[in-house]
Amino acid sequence: NGNEQSPGKCGEVCQKSTKYDLNNDGIVNLADVNLFNSYFGSDYKSAQWTTYKNADYNGDCKVDISDLNLLQSTVSPQLD
């Protein structure tokens, strides 16, 4: 299902997401990074965590720079 369960540092059980294609267009690109930026700084207490958790790639119950680094490592190069 694209997620692995992992106990987060917050004590909650969070899942490591592997859904790098956040906008579901079939490619991981700058559009996904832009969407990620709107999730940045959220955590398991956020009202929209059910959506934002898709960007929690390390399963620590928050969306932060560690998750951004993981996303950036999967971004397809843009063609001009």
Side-chain angles (χ1 to χ4, degrees):
N1 66 2
N3 294 310
E4 291 177 32
Q5 281 197 329
S6 172
K9 294 176 185 172
C10 60
E12 296 293 314
V13 174
C14 290
Q15 303 210 358
K16 293 180 183 179
S17 176
T18 56
K19 184 181 182 332
Y20 296 103
D21 180 17
L22 293 173
N23 65 356
N24 298 312
D25 66 355
I27 188 168
V28 180
N29 58 19
L30 187 57
D32 299 296
V33 175
N34 289 336
L35 190 53
F36 176 93
N37 288 338
S38 71
Y39 300 172
F40 191 87
S42 62
D43 64 21
Y44 73 101
K45 295 180 273 184
S46 300
Q48 294 188 352
W49 184 244
T50 56
T51 298
Y52 298 164
K53 69 182 179 181
N54 289 322
D56 181 16
Y57 301 120
N58 61 2
D60 66 353
C61 301
K62 60 187 175 185
V63 179
D64 60 12
I65 193 70
S66 299
D67 301 302
L68 178 59
N69 290 335
L70 290 168
L71 174 61
Q72 286 180 326
S73 70
T74 68
V75 172
S76 300
Q78 298 285 314
L79 298 176
D80 293 325

